[in-house]
């Protein structure tokens, strides 16, 4: 029975793992520059994405395991009636988390930075030899390693400074003391957790921006569709006609025997650059209109609208669930040391209700939770693609399919790794009850002596309910280092604000273009190289 139950829980993870491998490889190949593709970058970026996505996909398996352990009446099933068996099963999941997160740290602080600076040196000075590029990249990477070493040192000592509640304490919060007593962690585990949760703070900040925008902008884009390609082509042709008219007037004003003033030369150069950019846009929009995909738009457009409506409903449900979860924490607020770990439900949570109900029909709950994670990841990619990477008001990198440079694709994968690491924290904030105990119940004796069935919460004894590995890691760590939880809680409110602002912005702005339009700046940056044949189709 134990073997069958384990197979039933790990088989979906294996299937999802195969999809993750295929997705990571295809995603990198799709976004990289086509004719100047670097297979080392392809390999490293694919491995980075696979590791990060596997770490996120462990959460549904973790939740399904603890949900499988109990009957609806609150009693443990025969194959896990022994606490040692339960701990043995979860030990494998815990090892999986720490191994994958350790690999994330390795890729984020050593491999990806080294390759990034290697290609930066290559782009700045093509004459540099490979040993010089490697030497320069190592110098920059040492800074990341020093930062990692600092995190490890802090992780060894900071969690040990936590003030534990007294044994005679009676407050509800102090009941969490068993997380320290029963699930005590070593200094090595605390050090790894400190490093991972520091990375996840960066990832959660990125998640608030890119996912906050993408989670609502993506469904609205599907519903609204793109601008009319015919009208867009006509607009580009009109702009080109006007610019060419200005160029002719300027040239006629100064025949060959009359020298042109410097200011007029600059103006002529600007007009010719604008005309070149519009020419590329015109070629792209013509290719779009002649493509088979565009001609089939009347077939796929209804499906696109239906999918957009479904994702829009999901986005609204996510917003409401996170809002109610945060309001619930504010209602029961004691202080910031406790606010992140408050998982008791006094307000309804739509996603928690859906997952608890679908838990009766395996594997629907697993599919729904996995789909929720996929939605968050894909909308994060959408946000990254639409917004790009900015340093204050300067755009550092933009991501175009088939035209993303090695440094940009490495940066994209690193940012996505940070976001994916933060997803487990986001899911806990979104559905704290389900993320810790799944749909478990426990039996208790009521005031009149009857047996009642109650939902498992973190304020009951661990002998009655089995906590997920991720829930245990999160609560144990944030109980010790409370200010991390306070930061996450504040960032979750910023996520809600960005979600609302993006909804209003997307609703009242123009529909998306059919192409990724060239500008003069992009041509000067070299994005218009002739090494790419295909049009920049959105």
């Amino acid at each position: 029975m134990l073997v069958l139950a384990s197979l039933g829980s790990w088989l979906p993870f294996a299937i999802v793992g195969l999809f993750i491998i295929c997705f990571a490889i295809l995603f990198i190949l799709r976004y990289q520059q086509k004719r100047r593709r670097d297979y080392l970058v392809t390999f490293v970026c694919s491995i980075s994405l696979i590791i990060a996505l596997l770490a996120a996909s462990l959460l549904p398996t973790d939740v399904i395991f603890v949900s499988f352990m109990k009957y609806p009446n609150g009693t443990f099933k025969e194959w896990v009636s022994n606490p040692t068996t339960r701990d043995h099963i979860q030990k494998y999941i815990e090892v999986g988390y720490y191994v994958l997160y350790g690999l994330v740290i390795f890729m984020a602080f050593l491999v990806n930075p080294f390759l990034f600076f290697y290609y930066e040196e290559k782009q700045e000075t093509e004459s540099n030899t490979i040993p010089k590029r490697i030497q320069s990249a190592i110098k920059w990477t040492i800074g990341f390693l020093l930062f990692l070493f600092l995190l490890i040192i802090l992780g060894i000592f900071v969690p040990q400074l936590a003030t534990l509640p007294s044994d005679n304490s009676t407050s509800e919060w102090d009941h969490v003391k068993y997380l320290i007593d029963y699930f005590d962690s070593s200094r090595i585990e605390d050090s790894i957790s400190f490093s991972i949760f520091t990375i996840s703070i960066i990832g959660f900040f990125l998640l608030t921006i890119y996912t906050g925008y993408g989670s609502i902008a993506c469904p609205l884009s599907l519903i609204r569709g793109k601008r009319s390609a015919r009208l867009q082509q006509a607009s580009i042709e009109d702009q080109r006609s006007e610019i060419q008219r200005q160029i002719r007037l300027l040239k006629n004003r100064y025949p060959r025997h009359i020298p042109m003033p410097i200011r007029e030369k600059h103006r002529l150069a600007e007009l010719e650059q604008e005309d070149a950019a519009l020419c590329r846009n015109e070629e792209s929009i013509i290719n779009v209109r002649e493509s088979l995909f565009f001609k089939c738009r009347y077939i796929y457009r209804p499906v696109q609208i239906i999918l957009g409506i479904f994702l829009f409903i999901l986005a609204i449900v996510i917003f409401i669930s996170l809002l109610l979860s945060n309001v619930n924490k504010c209602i029961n607020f004691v202080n910031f040391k406790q606010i992140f770990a408050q998982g008791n439900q006094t307000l309804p949570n739509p996603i928690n209700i859906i997952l608890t109900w679908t838990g009766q029909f395996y594997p629907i709950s697993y599919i729904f939770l996995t789909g929720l994670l996929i939605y968050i990841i894909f909308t994060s990619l959408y946000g990254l693609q639409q917004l790009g990477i900015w340093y204050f008001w300067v755009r550092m990198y933009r991501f175009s399919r088939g035209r993303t440079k090695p440094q940009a694709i490495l940066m994209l994968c690193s940012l996505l790794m940070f976001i994916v690491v933060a997803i487990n924290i986001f899911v806990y904030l979104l559905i704290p009850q389900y993320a810790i105990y799944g749909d478990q119940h426990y039996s208790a004796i009521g005031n009149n002596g009857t047996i009642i069935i109650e939902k498992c919460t973190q304020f009951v004894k661990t002998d009655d309910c089995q906590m997920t590995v991720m829930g245990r890691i999160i609560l144990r760590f944030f109980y010790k280092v409370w200010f991390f939880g306070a930061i996450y809680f504040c960032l979750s409110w910023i996520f809600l604000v960005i979600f609302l602002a993006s909804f209003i912005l997307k609703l009242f702005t123009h529909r998306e273009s059919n192409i990724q339009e060239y500008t003069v700046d992009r041509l000067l940056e070299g994005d218009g190289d002739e090494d790419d044949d295909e049009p920049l189709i959105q």
Side-chain angles (χ1 to χ4, degrees):
M1 183 61 187
L2 177 60
V3 175
L4 291 176
S6 300
L7 181 63
S9 298
W10 283 110
L11 183 59
F13 176 78
I15 295 173
V16 170
L18 291 175
F19 278 107
I20 286 174
I21 293 172
C22 296
F23 166 77
I25 296 173
L26 292 176
F27 173 80
I28 299 301
L29 291 176
R30 184 68 182 93
Y31 270 80
Q32 262 194 318
Q33 287 178 325
K34 293 188 175 179
R35 292 192 180 179
R36 292 185 291 184
R37 179 172 292 153
D38 190 294
Y39 290 99
L40 178 60
V41 174
T42 303
F43 176 76
V44 170
C45 290
S46 300
I47 294 297
S48 301
L49 282 184
I50 290 169
I51 292 170
L53 294 174
L54 284 177
S57 63
L58 262 180
L59 181 61
T61 303
D62 191 7
V63 174
I64 288 298
F65 255 123
V66 296
S67 299
F68 264 9
M69 291 180 179
K70 303 195 78 174
Y71 290 112
N73 61 5
T75 59
F76 282 102
K77 296 179 180 179
E78 292 77 9
W79 57 279
V80 285
S81 57
N82 188 345
T84 305
T85 305
R86 299 197 294 268
D87 294 339
H88 181 72
I89 293 173
Q90 288 195 301
K91 193 65 180 177
Y92 287 107
I93 299 177
E94 186 175 15
V95 170
Y97 275 122
Y98 281 120
V99 168
L100 289 172
Y101 282 149
L103 291 173
V104 167
I105 293 174
F106 175 74
M107 299 299 293
F109 285 94
L110 182 60
V111 179
N112 286 10
F114 174 81
L115 278 181
F116 177 84
F117 291 114
Y118 174 82
Y119 283 100
E120 277 290 298
E121 291 295 323
K122 182 179 179 180
Q123 182 178 4
E124 289 180 5
T125 52
E126 289 285 347
S127 60
N128 270 357
T129 61
I130 292 179
K132 287 184 178 180
R133 294 174 198 158
I134 293 175
Q135 184 180 4
S136 179
I138 289 175
K139 290 179 182 178
W140 288 103
T141 308
I142 288 174
F144 285 82
L145 294 178
L146 291 175
F147 179 66
L148 176 60
F149 180 74
L150 177 63
L151 290 181
I152 292 173
I153 297 300
L154 290 175
I156 292 174
F157 295 103
V158 172
Q160 306 299 324
L161 301 178
T163 303
L164 304 184
S166 59
D167 292 333
N168 58 358
S169 177
T170 57
S171 69
E172 196 174 49
W173 162 251
D174 292 337
H175 288 189
V176 187
K177 178 180 181 293
Y178 78 81
L179 292 174
I180 308 300
D181 294 337
Y182 191 80
F183 296 120
D184 195 14
S185 57
S186 66
R187 289 178 180 264
I188 295 177
E189 290 175 322
D190 285 338
S191 180
I192 295 175
S193 298
F194 192 89
S195 302
I196 284 296
F197 285 115
T198 302
I199 293 175
S200 65
I201 281 183
I202 303 172
F204 207 97
F205 176 76
L206 297 170
L207 186 144
T208 58
I209 298 174
Y210 292 110
T211 314
Y213 170 80
S215 59
I216 188 62
C218 181
L220 288 177
S221 296
L222 290 173
I223 295 172
R224 299 180 67 193
K226 301 184 185 298
R227 300 207 299 263
S228 169
R230 179 180 58 82
L231 294 178
Q232 192 173 355
Q233 181 180 349
S235 174
I236 293 173
E237 291 173 349
D238 291 341
Q239 293 178 55
R240 284 202 69 194
S241 298
E242 175 60 24
I243 288 176
Q244 289 173 355
R245 185 185 66 83
Q246 294 181 35
I247 291 174
R248 286 194 301 270
L249 289 175
L250 199 57
K251 288 182 177 180
N252 292 336
R253 194 183 305 168
Y254 300 96
R256 291 184 179 180
H257 61 280
I258 300 178
M260 184 179 291
I262 296 178
R263 189 178 67 178
E264 299 294 344
K265 287 183 178 180
H266 288 322
R267 175 59 181 162
L268 179 61
E270 289 176 358
L271 290 173
E272 288 176 342
Q273 288 171 354
E274 291 178 15
D275 184 60
L278 288 173
C279 180
R280 293 298 300 267
N281 292 335
E282 186 177 12
E283 293 174 0
S284 296
I285 197 66
I286 290 173
N287 288 333
V288 168
R289 294 191 67 187
E290 293 176 351
S291 66
L292 178 63
F293 183 77
F294 180 80
K295 293 177 180 178
C296 298
R297 63 190 182 281
Y298 295 111
I299 299 175
Y300 67 78
R301 182 65 185 133
V303 178
Q304 197 177 49
I305 293 174
I306 294 172
L307 178 62
I309 293 172
F310 173 76
L311 295 180
F312 177 77
I313 295 172
L314 179 59
I316 296 300
V317 171
I318 291 174
F319 176 84
I320 293 173
S321 297
L322 183 59
L323 178 63
L324 291 175
S325 179
N326 283 359
V327 171
N328 177 74
K329 288 179 173 59
C330 293
I331 292 174
N332 299 282
F333 178 80
V334 178
N335 57 52
F336 275 105
K337 289 186 178 182
Q338 306 177 16
I339 196 164
F340 189 84
Q342 289 172 350
N344 56 320
Q345 296 293 302
T346 56
L347 293 175
N349 187 310
I351 296 181
N352 193 85
I353 294 171
I354 293 171
L355 286 169
T356 302
W357 179 76
T358 55
Q360 308 171 49
F361 313 102
Y362 178 81
I364 296 178
S365 59
Y366 182 92
I367 294 173
F368 187 88
L369 184 56
T370 303
L372 179 65
L373 296 176
I374 292 173
Y375 176 75
I376 295 172
I377 292 169
F378 270 96
T379 53
S380 302
L381 284 172
Y382 180 86
L384 283 166
Q385 182 184 5
Q386 293 293 314
L387 301 179
I389 300 176
W390 294 77
Y391 182 75
F392 292 103
W393 55 86
V394 179
R395 186 194 286 266
M396 292 178 60
Y397 297 107
R398 56 171 59 90
F399 308 110
S400 303
R401 286 177 288 182
R403 287 173 168 80
T404 308
K405 298 176 181 178
Q407 309 96 291
I409 201 74
L410 284 164
M411 179 70 77
L412 174 64
C413 290
S414 298
L415 295 183
L416 194 59
M417 283 178 69
F418 291 151
I419 291 174
V420 170
V421 168
I423 283 179
N424 286 340
I425 309 296
F426 181 77
V427 171
Y428 170 76
L429 284 168
L430 189 64
I431 43 173
Q433 183 68 32
Y434 194 83
I436 298 176
Y437 286 110
D439 58 355
Q440 289 183 79
H441 293 75
Y442 73 100
S443 57
I445 300 177
N447 296 329
N448 55 0
T450 59
I451 297 177
I452 57 176
I453 307 300
E454 297 285 349
K455 288 184 178 180
C456 288
T457 70
Q458 67 215 54
F459 303 111
V460 299
K461 294 180 179 179
T462 54
D463 295 337
D464 298 325
C465 294
Q466 191 73 18
M467 187 179 292
T468 61
V469 174
M470 179 51 64
R472 188 173 71 211
I473 294 173
I474 288 174
L475 287 181
R476 181 179 61 200
F477 181 79
F478 288 110
Y479 179 74
K480 291 184 176 183
V481 192
W482 64 268
F483 54 85
F484 274 71
I487 293 172
Y488 284 120
F489 179 71
C490 295
L491 286 175
S492 66
W493 282 106
I494 298 177
F495 176 92
L496 295 173
V497 172
I498 292 178
F499 184 97
L500 282 176
S502 302
F503 174 74
I504 297 171
L505 178 67
K506 197 69 177 178
L507 206 59
F508 294 101
T509 53
H510 294 295
R511 291 185 294 173
E512 288 185 10
S513 172
N514 291 276
I515 59 174
Q516 297 180 21
E517 297 181 359
Y518 278 111
T519 61
V520 173
D521 292 337
R522 293 190 66 175
L523 286 177
L524 294 177
E525 289 173 7
D527 284 359
D529 296 340
E530 61 263 349
D531 63 329
D532 295 313
D533 308 355
E534 297 181 4
L536 280 170
I537 302 173
Q538 283 277 57

